[in-house]
Amino acid sequence: MTTPDHQSPVPDASRPESKDRIYRSPAGIAGGALLLVIAGWLGIDALASGHGRTPWLALAALILVVPLVSAFTLRPAVYANEDRLRIRNPFRVIVLPWGQVASLRSSYTNEVVDTSGRKYQLWAVPVSLRARKKVAKQQARGATAGPGGGGRASSFGRSTPGSAASTRAQTDQIMDDLRHLAEARASEESAQGEVSVRWAYEVMAPAAAGAVLLAILLAVG
């Protein structure tokens, strides 16, 4: 499940400041925190009481595991304001002005497609098939109670108010909100620009160092 939050306004001299809506996965954060506690407990114990190569192996494993666990659980987030969509995935940060967003798709994963056809997954907004099935059952029961509107989808894939899907799984509702924002802001001058992608070397470098150190220790063992 993913919840929205807010961060400090993004300054813009030409119009009132626009706050970011922040979407993260509480389940992912909780799971990551638990894994880090377990890894820290086992690693520190091995460092303190291990003998021979054990402390070095524990240190290498910690250097490898901690960045990776953090990258896949604590790091992912989606930031959206009136000008752009910023996606913080495990190893990349992607910034897409709304003018560059062609569509936001939901199937087994949630992803955004830019105008050149490149796809970027939204790690912080995971799809819950269980929640979808639950909502589908609720909608089926509602359909038997009376006729519903035959809504249609916009060019961004957003359901119109006339749609029978008045109840949505939370992550699907988040995607609908992002589609609405993309559709409303795509033509605005402040929402134009180029897509930027930055690799998260602050995550990759320590993980690579830990992997190399662990491989060396195992090779010379």
Side-chain angles (χ1 to χ4, degrees), residues 32-48:
L34 178 60
L35 288 175
L36 289 176
V37 168
I38 294 173
W41 173 52
L42 294 175
I44 292 173
D45 181 67
L47 286 171

Side-chain angles (χ1 to χ4, degrees), residues 16-202:
E17 294 178 335
S18 172
K19 291 184 178 180
D20 276 351
R21 305 176 189 178
I22 305 177
Y23 302 96
R24 306 186 72 182
S25 172
I29 294 172
L34 178 60
L35 288 175
L36 289 176
V37 168
I38 294 173
W41 173 52
L42 294 175
I44 292 173
D45 181 67
L47 286 171
S49 59
H51 302 283
R53 293 189 309 140
T54 301
W56 288 102
L57 288 171
L59 178 61
L62 283 174
I63 296 174
L64 171 63
V65 169
V66 170
L68 291 181
V69 171
S70 300
F72 283 95
T73 59
L74 306 182
R75 176 180 169 82
V78 172
Y79 303 82
N81 64 24
E82 293 185 354
D83 295 335
R84 54 98 183 108
L85 179 69
R86 182 161 67 96
I87 305 165
R88 193 172 70 190
N89 281 343
F91 300 119
R92 294 191 299 178
V93 177
I94 305 104
V95 179
L96 300 102
W98 290 120
Q100 291 288 338
V101 175
S103 65
L104 288 117
R105 300 176 181 175
S106 298
S107 55
Y108 293 104
T109 61
N110 290 317
E111 61 187 19
V112 59
V113 183
D114 68 16
T115 53
S116 68
R118 289 175 296 182
K119 301 176 183 178
Y120 306 99
Q121 187 174 344
L122 277 63
W123 279 81
V125 188
V127 169
S128 173
L129 297 180
R130 181 179 179 182
R132 283 183 178 175
K133 289 178 180 178
K134 182 178 179 181
V135 170
K137 289 180 180 178
Q138 293 174 347
Q139 292 173 354
R141 287 195 296 266
T144 59
R152 57 185 179 84
S154 71
S155 58
F156 284 84
R158 179 175 59 88
S159 297
T160 60
S163 173
S166 57
T167 303
R168 304 278 281 163
Q170 186 179 24
T171 53
D172 289 337
Q173 182 59 57
I174 289 172
M175 292 298 288
D176 279 348
D177 293 343
L178 293 177
R179 291 183 188 109
H180 175 79
L181 193 54
E183 187 175 12
R185 300 293 303 172
S187 61
E188 296 295 327
E189 183 179 354
S190 61
Q192 308 307 310
E194 298 297 324
V195 177
S196 70
V197 179
R198 180 182 69 82
W199 289 97
Y201 294 108
E202 66 274 16

